[in-house]
mmCIF file of all heavy atoms in Angstrom:
data_model
loop_
_atom_site.group_PDB
_atom_site.id
_atom_site.type_symbol
_atom_site.label_atom_id
_atom_site.label_comp_id
_atom_site.label_asym_id
_atom_site.label_seq_id
_atom_site.Cartn_x
_atom_site.Cartn_y
_atom_site.Cartn_z
ATOM 1 N N THR A 867 -16.558 -13.510 -14.328
ATOM 2 C CA THR A 867 -17.297 -13.546 -13.054
ATOM 3 C C THR A 867 -16.600 -12.985 -11.963
ATOM 4 O O THR A 867 -15.443 -13.322 -11.740
ATOM 5 C CB THR A 867 -17.745 -15.076 -12.702
ATOM 6 O OG1 THR A 867 -18.489 -15.653 -13.707
ATOM 7 C CG2 THR A 867 -18.485 -15.082 -11.412
ATOM 8 N N LYS A 868 -17.100 -12.055 -11.164
ATOM 9 C CA LYS A 868 -16.535 -11.416 -10.047
ATOM 10 C C LYS A 868 -16.516 -12.452 -8.967
ATOM 11 O O LYS A 868 -17.556 -13.094 -8.663
ATOM 12 C CB LYS A 868 -17.294 -10.150 -9.590
ATOM 13 C CG LYS A 868 -16.814 -9.706 -8.214
ATOM 14 C CD LYS A 868 -15.568 -9.053 -8.184
ATOM 15 C CE LYS A 868 -15.197 -8.434 -6.838
ATOM 16 N NZ LYS A 868 -13.912 -7.776 -6.793
ATOM 17 N N ILE A 869 -15.369 -12.728 -8.274
ATOM 18 C CA ILE A 869 -15.298 -13.686 -7.165
ATOM 19 C C ILE A 869 -15.100 -12.875 -5.878
ATOM 20 O O ILE A 869 -14.134 -11.957 -5.759
ATOM 21 C CB ILE A 869 -14.100 -14.596 -7.429
ATOM 22 C CG1 ILE A 869 -14.124 -15.381 -8.804
ATOM 23 C CG2 ILE A 869 -14.026 -15.629 -6.223
ATOM 24 C CD1 ILE A 869 -15.282 -16.350 -8.930
ATOM 25 N N ILE A 870 -15.970 -13.143 -4.883
ATOM 26 C CA ILE A 870 -15.741 -12.688 -3.569
ATOM 27 C C ILE A 870 -15.586 -13.940 -2.706
ATOM 28 O O ILE A 870 -16.636 -14.806 -2.636
ATOM 29 C CB ILE A 870 -16.916 -11.851 -3.059
ATOM 30 C CG1 ILE A 870 -17.120 -10.696 -3.911
ATOM 31 C CG2 ILE A 870 -16.754 -11.378 -1.676
ATOM 32 C CD1 ILE A 870 -18.385 -9.828 -3.677
ATOM 33 N N MET A 871 -14.468 -14.031 -2.050
ATOM 34 C CA MET A 871 -14.174 -15.405 -1.392
ATOM 35 C C MET A 871 -13.561 -15.308 -0.092
ATOM 36 O O MET A 871 -12.776 -14.377 0.112
ATOM 37 C CB MET A 871 -13.163 -16.178 -2.434
ATOM 38 C CG MET A 871 -12.527 -17.469 -1.853
ATOM 39 S SD MET A 871 -11.463 -18.065 -3.144
ATOM 40 C CE MET A 871 -10.592 -19.328 -2.161
ATOM 41 N N ALA A 872 -13.912 -16.247 0.887
ATOM 42 C CA ALA A 872 -13.335 -16.170 2.119
ATOM 43 C C ALA A 872 -12.371 -17.375 2.368
ATOM 44 O O ALA A 872 -12.629 -18.404 1.740
ATOM 45 C CB ALA A 872 -14.492 -16.314 3.231
ATOM 46 N N THR A 873 -11.249 -17.135 2.983
ATOM 47 C CA THR A 873 -10.348 -18.195 3.255
ATOM 48 C C THR A 873 -9.468 -17.656 4.512
ATOM 49 O O THR A 873 -9.426 -16.535 4.809
ATOM 50 C CB THR A 873 -9.379 -18.450 2.081
ATOM 51 O OG1 THR A 873 -8.503 -19.548 2.414
ATOM 52 C CG2 THR A 873 -8.422 -17.276 1.791
ATOM 53 N N HIS A 874 -8.886 -18.659 5.249
ATOM 54 C CA HIS A 874 -7.940 -18.392 6.181
ATOM 55 C C HIS A 874 -6.551 -18.914 5.858
ATOM 56 O O HIS A 874 -5.553 -18.800 6.503
ATOM 57 C CB HIS A 874 -8.290 -18.994 7.562
ATOM 58 C CG HIS A 874 -8.428 -20.512 7.451
ATOM 59 N ND1 HIS A 874 -9.541 -21.097 7.293
ATOM 60 C CD2 HIS A 874 -7.468 -21.510 7.784
ATOM 61 C CE1 HIS A 874 -9.337 -22.510 7.240
ATOM 62 N NE2 HIS A 874 -8.141 -22.664 7.562
ATOM 63 N N ASP A 875 -6.471 -19.391 4.541
ATOM 64 C CA ASP A 875 -5.261 -19.936 4.024
ATOM 65 C C ASP A 875 -4.393 -18.980 3.251
ATOM 66 O O ASP A 875 -4.821 -18.503 2.155
ATOM 67 C CB ASP A 875 -5.630 -21.118 3.028
ATOM 68 C CG ASP A 875 -4.499 -21.907 2.346
ATOM 69 O OD1 ASP A 875 -3.460 -21.323 2.310
ATOM 70 O OD2 ASP A 875 -4.628 -23.042 2.087
ATOM 71 N N LEU A 876 -3.311 -18.650 3.843
ATOM 72 C CA LEU A 876 -2.498 -17.524 3.414
ATOM 73 C C LEU A 876 -2.005 -17.892 1.942
ATOM 74 O O LEU A 876 -1.980 -17.001 1.097
ATOM 75 C CB LEU A 876 -1.293 -17.232 4.340
ATOM 76 C CG LEU A 876 -1.602 -16.422 5.504
ATOM 77 C CD1 LEU A 876 -0.374 -16.311 6.405
ATOM 78 C CD2 LEU A 876 -1.955 -14.966 5.105
ATOM 79 N N ALA A 877 -1.509 -19.086 1.694
ATOM 80 C CA ALA A 877 -0.925 -19.513 0.519
ATOM 81 C C ALA A 877 -1.953 -19.333 -0.584
ATOM 82 O O ALA A 877 -1.748 -18.885 -1.780
ATOM 83 C CB ALA A 877 -0.337 -20.887 0.505
ATOM 84 N N GLN A 878 -3.208 -19.799 -0.347
ATOM 85 C CA GLN A 878 -4.321 -19.654 -1.256
ATOM 86 C C GLN A 878 -4.649 -18.249 -1.536
ATOM 87 O O GLN A 878 -4.863 -17.924 -2.750
ATOM 88 C CB GLN A 878 -5.589 -20.431 -0.758
ATOM 89 C CG GLN A 878 -6.782 -20.390 -1.722
ATOM 90 C CD GLN A 878 -7.866 -21.337 -1.258
ATOM 91 O OE1 GLN A 878 -8.586 -20.971 -0.259
ATOM 92 N NE2 GLN A 878 -8.037 -22.463 -1.858
ATOM 93 N N ALA A 879 -4.615 -17.360 -0.544
ATOM 94 C CA ALA A 879 -4.989 -15.943 -0.812
ATOM 95 C C ALA A 879 -3.922 -15.337 -1.764
ATOM 96 O O ALA A 879 -4.172 -14.593 -2.565
ATOM 97 C CB ALA A 879 -5.006 -15.206 0.447
ATOM 98 N N ARG A 880 -2.587 -15.812 -1.489
ATOM 99 C CA ARG A 880 -1.504 -15.251 -2.307
ATOM 100 C C ARG A 880 -1.700 -15.626 -3.788
ATOM 101 O O ARG A 880 -1.454 -14.835 -4.754
ATOM 102 C CB ARG A 880 -0.167 -15.637 -1.734
ATOM 103 C CG ARG A 880 0.227 -15.136 -0.541
ATOM 104 C CD ARG A 880 1.564 -15.616 -0.057
ATOM 105 N NE ARG A 880 2.009 -15.131 1.257
ATOM 106 C CZ ARG A 880 2.749 -14.099 1.455
ATOM 107 N NH1 ARG A 880 3.050 -13.279 0.494
ATOM 108 N NH2 ARG A 880 3.035 -13.735 2.665
ATOM 109 N N ARG A 881 -2.146 -16.839 -3.945
ATOM 110 C CA ARG A 881 -2.335 -17.362 -5.372
ATOM 111 C C ARG A 881 -3.432 -16.732 -6.112
ATOM 112 O O ARG A 881 -3.424 -16.517 -7.359
ATOM 113 C CB ARG A 881 -2.503 -18.913 -5.329
ATOM 114 C CG ARG A 881 -1.318 -19.715 -4.880
ATOM 115 C CD ARG A 881 -1.561 -21.272 -5.158
ATOM 116 N NE ARG A 881 -2.543 -21.791 -4.279
ATOM 117 C CZ ARG A 881 -2.261 -22.322 -3.122
ATOM 118 N NH1 ARG A 881 -0.960 -22.359 -2.607
ATOM 119 N NH2 ARG A 881 -3.248 -22.921 -2.389
ATOM 120 N N LEU A 882 -4.531 -16.515 -5.337
ATOM 121 C CA LEU A 882 -5.799 -16.046 -6.120
ATOM 122 C C LEU A 882 -6.220 -14.617 -6.015
ATOM 123 O O LEU A 882 -6.810 -14.103 -6.876
ATOM 124 C CB LEU A 882 -6.984 -16.889 -5.483
ATOM 125 C CG LEU A 882 -7.056 -18.446 -5.746
ATOM 126 C CD1 LEU A 882 -8.216 -19.001 -5.111
ATOM 127 C CD2 LEU A 882 -6.964 -18.701 -7.192
ATOM 128 N N ALA A 883 -5.825 -13.951 -4.953
ATOM 129 C CA ALA A 883 -6.465 -12.604 -4.644
ATOM 130 C C ALA A 883 -5.863 -11.540 -5.472
ATOM 131 O O ALA A 883 -4.647 -11.453 -5.697
ATOM 132 C CB ALA A 883 -6.270 -12.368 -3.134
ATOM 133 N N GLY A 884 -6.778 -10.665 -5.849
ATOM 134 C CA GLY A 884 -6.384 -9.341 -6.351
ATOM 135 C C GLY A 884 -6.565 -8.271 -5.324
ATOM 136 O O GLY A 884 -5.833 -7.342 -5.309
ATOM 137 N N GLU A 885 -7.519 -8.516 -4.470
ATOM 138 C CA GLU A 885 -7.799 -7.594 -3.409
ATOM 139 C C GLU A 885 -7.915 -8.381 -2.097
ATOM 140 O O GLU A 885 -8.491 -9.440 -2.127
ATOM 141 C CB GLU A 885 -9.150 -6.853 -3.629
ATOM 142 C CG GLU A 885 -9.559 -6.082 -2.443
ATOM 143 C CD GLU A 885 -10.966 -5.506 -2.537
ATOM 144 O OE1 GLU A 885 -11.881 -6.249 -3.111
ATOM 145 O OE2 GLU A 885 -11.231 -4.395 -2.100
ATOM 146 N N ILE A 886 -7.355 -7.870 -1.028
ATOM 147 C CA ILE A 886 -7.435 -8.509 0.275
ATOM 148 C C ILE A 886 -8.384 -7.635 1.197
ATOM 149 O O ILE A 886 -8.108 -6.426 1.270
ATOM 150 C CB ILE A 886 -6.101 -8.852 0.904
ATOM 151 C CG1 ILE A 886 -5.221 -9.809 0.146
ATOM 152 C CG2 ILE A 886 -6.312 -9.300 2.395
ATOM 153 C CD1 ILE A 886 -5.760 -11.217 0.240
ATOM 154 N N VAL A 887 -9.339 -8.281 1.901
ATOM 155 C CA VAL A 887 -10.149 -7.687 2.844
ATOM 156 C C VAL A 887 -9.820 -8.420 4.157
ATOM 157 O O VAL A 887 -10.136 -9.553 4.310
ATOM 158 C CB VAL A 887 -11.606 -7.685 2.657
ATOM 159 C CG1 VAL A 887 -12.380 -7.153 3.852
ATOM 160 C CG2 VAL A 887 -11.904 -6.862 1.350
ATOM 161 N N PHE A 888 -9.059 -7.768 5.077
ATOM 162 C CA PHE A 888 -8.629 -8.526 6.367
ATOM 163 C C PHE A 888 -9.519 -8.211 7.508
ATOM 164 O O PHE A 888 -9.881 -7.213 7.794
ATOM 165 C CB PHE A 888 -7.230 -8.052 6.699
ATOM 166 C CG PHE A 888 -6.740 -8.661 7.976
ATOM 167 C CD1 PHE A 888 -6.429 -10.073 8.015
ATOM 168 C CD2 PHE A 888 -6.668 -8.038 9.144
ATOM 169 C CE1 PHE A 888 -6.019 -10.710 9.266
ATOM 170 C CE2 PHE A 888 -6.218 -8.563 10.407
ATOM 171 C CZ PHE A 888 -5.848 -9.893 10.309
ATOM 172 N N MET A 889 -10.085 -9.321 7.978
ATOM 173 C CA MET A 889 -11.030 -9.221 9.171
ATOM 174 C C MET A 889 -10.410 -9.881 10.350
ATOM 175 O O MET A 889 -9.689 -10.718 10.447
ATOM 176 C CB MET A 889 -12.389 -9.930 8.842
ATOM 177 C CG MET A 889 -13.044 -9.395 7.614
ATOM 178 S SD MET A 889 -14.639 -9.956 7.296
ATOM 179 C CE MET A 889 -15.434 -9.392 8.877
ATOM 180 N N HIS A 890 -10.785 -9.207 11.592
ATOM 181 C CA HIS A 890 -10.406 -9.629 12.851
ATOM 182 C C HIS A 890 -11.455 -9.311 13.833
ATOM 183 O O HIS A 890 -11.835 -8.231 14.006
ATOM 184 C CB HIS A 890 -9.010 -8.873 13.121
ATOM 185 C CG HIS A 890 -8.511 -9.211 14.560
ATOM 186 N ND1 HIS A 890 -7.743 -10.403 14.807
ATOM 187 C CD2 HIS A 890 -8.479 -8.542 15.709
ATOM 188 C CE1 HIS A 890 -7.437 -10.470 15.976
ATOM 189 N NE2 HIS A 890 -7.803 -9.435 16.583
ATOM 190 N N GLN A 891 -11.877 -10.371 14.560
ATOM 191 C CA GLN A 891 -12.852 -10.219 15.655
ATOM 192 C C GLN A 891 -14.057 -9.436 15.291
ATOM 193 O O GLN A 891 -14.476 -8.572 15.957
ATOM 194 C CB GLN A 891 -12.102 -9.708 16.903
ATOM 195 C CG GLN A 891 -11.117 -10.705 17.504
ATOM 196 C CD GLN A 891 -10.432 -10.169 18.641
ATOM 197 O OE1 GLN A 891 -10.536 -9.034 18.950
ATOM 198 N NE2 GLN A 891 -9.764 -11.085 19.362
ATOM 199 N N GLY A 892 -14.597 -9.661 14.031
ATOM 200 C CA GLY A 892 -15.818 -9.052 13.564
ATOM 201 C C GLY A 892 -15.596 -7.687 12.958
ATOM 202 O O GLY A 892 -16.577 -7.108 12.560
ATOM 203 N N ALA A 893 -14.451 -7.290 12.847
ATOM 204 C CA ALA A 893 -14.180 -5.859 12.203
ATOM 205 C C ALA A 893 -13.350 -6.025 10.959
ATOM 206 O O ALA A 893 -12.472 -6.976 10.866
ATOM 207 C CB ALA A 893 -13.469 -5.014 13.295
ATOM 208 N N MET A 894 -13.574 -5.177 10.089
ATOM 209 C CA MET A 894 -12.786 -5.145 8.819
ATOM 210 C C MET A 894 -11.790 -4.068 9.111
ATOM 211 O O MET A 894 -11.897 -2.913 9.191
ATOM 212 C CB MET A 894 -13.629 -4.605 7.713
ATOM 213 C CG MET A 894 -12.917 -4.761 6.275
ATOM 214 S SD MET A 894 -14.005 -4.156 4.950
ATOM 215 C CE MET A 894 -15.108 -5.612 4.842
ATOM 216 N N LEU A 895 -10.451 -4.610 9.277
ATOM 217 C CA LEU A 895 -9.344 -3.854 9.682
ATOM 218 C C LEU A 895 -8.552 -3.104 8.452
ATOM 219 O O LEU A 895 -7.920 -2.169 8.588
ATOM 220 C CB LEU A 895 -8.339 -4.509 10.565
ATOM 221 C CG LEU A 895 -8.878 -5.038 11.812
ATOM 222 C CD1 LEU A 895 -7.782 -5.547 12.745
ATOM 223 C CD2 LEU A 895 -9.660 -4.015 12.636
ATOM 224 N N GLU A 896 -8.488 -3.992 7.367
ATOM 225 C CA GLU A 896 -7.791 -3.456 6.165
ATOM 226 C C GLU A 896 -8.338 -3.887 4.930
ATOM 227 O O GLU A 896 -9.072 -4.968 4.807
ATOM 228 C CB GLU A 896 -6.312 -4.063 6.174
ATOM 229 C CG GLU A 896 -5.401 -3.503 7.347
ATOM 230 C CD GLU A 896 -4.054 -3.885 7.048
ATOM 231 O OE1 GLU A 896 -3.422 -3.789 6.015
ATOM 232 O OE2 GLU A 896 -3.349 -4.283 8.133
ATOM 233 N N SER A 897 -8.192 -3.168 3.856
ATOM 234 C CA SER A 897 -8.571 -3.548 2.458
ATOM 235 C C SER A 897 -7.606 -2.819 1.455
ATOM 236 O O SER A 897 -7.445 -1.648 1.613
ATOM 237 C CB SER A 897 -10.068 -3.151 2.142
ATOM 238 O OG SER A 897 -10.242 -1.747 2.222
ATOM 239 N N SER A 898 -6.999 -3.737 0.665
ATOM 240 C CA SER A 898 -6.020 -3.219 -0.151
ATOM 241 C C SER A 898 -5.653 -4.164 -1.210
ATOM 242 O O SER A 898 -6.166 -5.377 -1.170
ATOM 243 C CB SER A 898 -4.715 -2.839 0.550
ATOM 244 O OG SER A 898 -4.159 -4.018 1.102
ATOM 245 N N ALA A 899 -4.938 -3.763 -2.340
ATOM 246 C CA ALA A 899 -4.536 -4.737 -3.341
ATOM 247 C C ALA A 899 -3.644 -5.765 -2.549
ATOM 248 O O ALA A 899 -3.007 -5.552 -1.546
ATOM 249 C CB ALA A 899 -3.635 -4.008 -4.340
ATOM 250 N N ALA A 900 -3.745 -7.052 -3.086
ATOM 251 C CA ALA A 900 -3.055 -8.151 -2.418
ATOM 252 C C ALA A 900 -1.591 -7.951 -2.299
ATOM 253 O O ALA A 900 -1.010 -8.227 -1.315
ATOM 254 C CB ALA A 900 -3.344 -9.473 -3.277
ATOM 255 N N GLU A 901 -1.040 -7.505 -3.340
ATOM 256 C CA GLU A 901 0.490 -7.118 -3.285
ATOM 257 C C GLU A 901 0.822 -6.214 -2.156
ATOM 258 O O GLU A 901 1.783 -6.407 -1.483
ATOM 259 C CB GLU A 901 0.937 -6.672 -4.630
ATOM 260 C CG GLU A 901 2.463 -6.411 -4.673
ATOM 261 C CD GLU A 901 2.912 -5.960 -6.058
ATOM 262 O OE1 GLU A 901 2.063 -5.920 -6.992
ATOM 263 O OE2 GLU A 901 4.008 -5.547 -6.242
ATOM 264 N N GLU A 902 0.027 -5.180 -2.096
ATOM 265 C CA GLU A 902 0.277 -4.252 -0.887
ATOM 266 C C GLU A 902 -0.058 -4.764 0.409
ATOM 267 O O GLU A 902 0.804 -4.577 1.345
ATOM 268 C CB GLU A 902 -0.706 -2.924 -1.067
ATOM 269 C CG GLU A 902 -0.492 -1.900 -0.067
ATOM 270 C CD GLU A 902 -1.469 -0.861 -0.274
ATOM 271 O OE1 GLU A 902 -2.135 -0.749 -1.338
ATOM 272 O OE2 GLU A 902 -1.727 0.003 0.756
ATOM 273 N N PHE A 903 -1.107 -5.592 0.585
ATOM 274 C CA PHE A 903 -1.290 -6.161 1.884
ATOM 275 C C PHE A 903 -0.163 -7.211 2.337
ATOM 276 O O PHE A 903 0.311 -7.042 3.475
ATOM 277 C CB PHE A 903 -2.623 -6.888 1.800
ATOM 278 C CG PHE A 903 -2.945 -7.718 3.116
ATOM 279 C CD1 PHE A 903 -3.575 -6.970 4.136
ATOM 280 C CD2 PHE A 903 -2.624 -9.065 3.241
ATOM 281 C CE1 PHE A 903 -3.802 -7.705 5.367
ATOM 282 C CE2 PHE A 903 -2.875 -9.701 4.463
ATOM 283 C CZ PHE A 903 -3.480 -9.069 5.493
ATOM 284 N N PHE A 904 0.275 -8.036 1.391
ATOM 285 C CA PHE A 904 1.254 -8.969 1.718
ATOM 286 C C PHE A 904 2.611 -8.255 1.988
ATOM 287 O O PHE A 904 3.431 -8.733 2.719
ATOM 288 C CB PHE A 904 1.379 -10.161 0.809
ATOM 289 C CG PHE A 904 0.172 -11.050 0.793
ATOM 290 C CD1 PHE A 904 -0.784 -11.177 -0.219
ATOM 291 C CD2 PHE A 904 -0.001 -11.749 1.945
ATOM 292 C CE1 PHE A 904 -1.812 -11.983 -0.175
ATOM 293 C CE2 PHE A 904 -1.092 -12.617 2.037
ATOM 294 C CZ PHE A 904 -1.998 -12.815 0.985
ATOM 295 N N GLY A 905 2.910 -7.213 1.239
ATOM 296 C CA GLY A 905 4.137 -6.590 1.231
ATOM 297 C C GLY A 905 4.243 -5.595 2.556
ATOM 298 O O GLY A 905 5.332 -5.426 3.069
ATOM 299 N N ASP A 906 3.130 -4.930 2.845
ATOM 300 C CA ASP A 906 3.172 -3.944 3.943
ATOM 301 C C ASP A 906 1.854 -3.807 4.587
ATOM 302 O O ASP A 906 1.109 -2.809 4.436
ATOM 303 C CB ASP A 906 3.543 -2.550 3.249
ATOM 304 C CG ASP A 906 3.753 -1.420 4.329
ATOM 305 O OD1 ASP A 906 4.033 -1.737 5.425
ATOM 306 O OD2 ASP A 906 3.617 -0.255 3.843
ATOM 307 N N PRO A 907 1.473 -4.801 5.376
ATOM 308 C CA PRO A 907 0.199 -4.711 6.200
ATOM 309 C C PRO A 907 0.280 -3.573 7.069
ATOM 310 O O PRO A 907 1.321 -3.200 7.694
ATOM 311 C CB PRO A 907 0.155 -6.012 6.867
ATOM 312 C CG PRO A 907 1.513 -6.525 7.019
ATOM 313 C CD PRO A 907 2.280 -6.041 5.727
ATOM 314 N N LYS A 908 -0.934 -2.918 7.186
ATOM 315 C CA LYS A 908 -0.927 -1.638 8.069
ATOM 316 C C LYS A 908 -1.293 -1.939 9.496
ATOM 317 O O LYS A 908 -0.911 -1.051 10.420
ATOM 318 C CB LYS A 908 -1.949 -0.626 7.466
ATOM 319 C CG LYS A 908 -1.656 -0.310 6.037
ATOM 320 C CD LYS A 908 -0.264 0.381 5.879
ATOM 321 C CE LYS A 908 -0.018 0.978 4.518
ATOM 322 N NZ LYS A 908 0.127 0.015 3.468
ATOM 323 N N SER A 909 -1.984 -2.892 9.809
ATOM 324 C CA SER A 909 -2.476 -3.138 11.272
ATOM 325 C C SER A 909 -1.588 -4.156 11.930
ATOM 326 O O SER A 909 -1.017 -5.096 11.229
ATOM 327 C CB SER A 909 -3.873 -3.547 11.287
ATOM 328 O OG SER A 909 -4.004 -4.829 10.705
ATOM 329 N N PRO A 910 -1.374 -3.938 13.244
ATOM 330 C CA PRO A 910 -0.511 -5.079 14.032
ATOM 331 C C PRO A 910 -1.219 -6.450 13.932
ATOM 332 O O PRO A 910 -0.532 -7.461 13.882
ATOM 333 C CB PRO A 910 -0.495 -4.522 15.395
ATOM 334 C CG PRO A 910 -1.641 -3.482 15.522
ATOM 335 C CD PRO A 910 -1.768 -2.966 14.128
ATOM 336 N N GLN A 911 -2.580 -6.463 13.909
ATOM 337 C CA GLN A 911 -3.313 -7.699 13.766
ATOM 338 C C GLN A 911 -3.012 -8.434 12.511
ATOM 339 O O GLN A 911 -2.827 -9.663 12.419
ATOM 340 C CB GLN A 911 -4.791 -7.422 13.897
ATOM 341 C CG GLN A 911 -5.298 -6.871 15.249
ATOM 342 C CD GLN A 911 -5.234 -5.372 15.164
ATOM 343 O OE1 GLN A 911 -4.599 -4.753 14.467
ATOM 344 N NE2 GLN A 911 -6.141 -4.818 16.078
#
């Protein structure tokens, strides 16, 4: 089953995510593999 899930819990996202979609103030600022997002986020937000 494909899972699309929302959370604000960083630890949970690290445990579960294969892909991260980062949202800030109604905009989607980043989307990348979880390892890439946590290792090298692209936006200051």
Side-chain angles (χ1 to χ4, degrees):
T867 297
K868 168 72 177 181
I869 305 294
I870 303 175
M871 172 179 166
T873 185
H874 61 270
D875 184 332
L876 282 172
Q878 184 170 73
R880 289 178 186 274
R881 289 191 294 269
L882 294 177
E885 174 192 37
I886 294 289
V887 173
F888 178 70
M889 298 191 64
H890 180 77
Q891 296 180 342
M894 183 179 289
L895 299 190
E896 297 192 38
S897 61
S898 62
E901 183 177 352
E902 178 182 346
F903 175 81
F904 288 115
D906 185 23
K908 299 300 187 291
S909 66
Q911 295 93 333

